[in-house]
Amino acid sequence: KQTGWDYISRKKDGIDFTLPETYDYLISNYDEVINCIGYTNTYDTDKTQSYNVNYIGVVNLVDICNKFKTKLIHISSDYVYANSVSNASEDDIPSPCNTWYGYYKVLSDAYIQLKANDYLIFRSCHKPEPFTFEKAYCDLIGNFDYVSNISPIMIKLIEKNAKGLFNIGTEQKTMYELAKRTKSDVESVHGLLNETMPVDVTMNLNKLRGEIDEF
């Protein structure tokens, strides 16, 4: 919506992301493709959907983009840093949440880095605005922000023809602090004791700052 760029969607174009023959011919029309498709049921204990969409779907997409000499721009997740060092950089070894979602996000990023001929990966977390939940964690910290703040950063990198892997975010904050900006009555909760939930997904943004002067 911010760019007016063409889009291909599952509903509009009848795409099944697990069946590359339903969309590969569409990709041949473009020099760049942004993959916004993901299975985001983060804590699903059944790996099937996450495997098929977040990994195999990406593998197929890489191969198709290589075939048509199309640049792949892929939206990944800060969840890959859930068990990594705080303030993780792009060069740190990712260690995800103890979930199939986190595991396959790491694998798909690695496949792109190993196999894609031309790519740009964004590791980020973007929330709908206003905040949609009644409660927000005050002990979950990171560089997450609303879509309206994250997407312009991605657009600038795309327009600059950036390549490689980038952490994308804004200043460090708690999820509760973010929620309060758009939902004044949100309740603060704490106690992230579940090992599958991230606590600190703070990312090092120095590479991003070096690429975008006005960031």
Side-chain angles (χ1 to χ4, degrees), residues 130-184:
F131 195 77
T132 56
F133 303 102
E134 298 301 317
K135 301 177 181 179
Y137 286 107
C138 62
D139 49 357
L140 166 57
I141 62 172
N143 305 102
F144 31 69
D145 212 318
Y146 294 112
V147 172
S148 59
N149 293 325
I150 295 294
S151 55
I153 302 173
M154 295 181 175
I155 292 167
K156 288 177 182 177
L157 286 173
I158 292 169
E159 291 178 336
K160 286 175 67 68
N161 195 32
K163 299 178 184 293
L165 171 64
F166 282 84
N167 293 336
I168 305 293
T170 55
E171 78 286 349
Q172 180 180 302
K173 65 190 75 66
T174 68
M175 189 61 73
Y176 175 70
E177 289 170 334
L178 176 65
K180 284 286 287 184
R181 295 178 184 178
T182 59
K183 188 176 177 60
S184 59

Side-chain angles (χ1 to χ4, degrees), residues 1 4-13 15 26 30:
K1 290 181 179 179
W5 295 339
D6 289 349
Y7 74 95
I8 298 168
S9 78
R10 291 177 297 153
K11 291 182 180 179
K12 177 172 72 71
D13 298 287
I15 290 171
L26 296 170
Y30 297 97

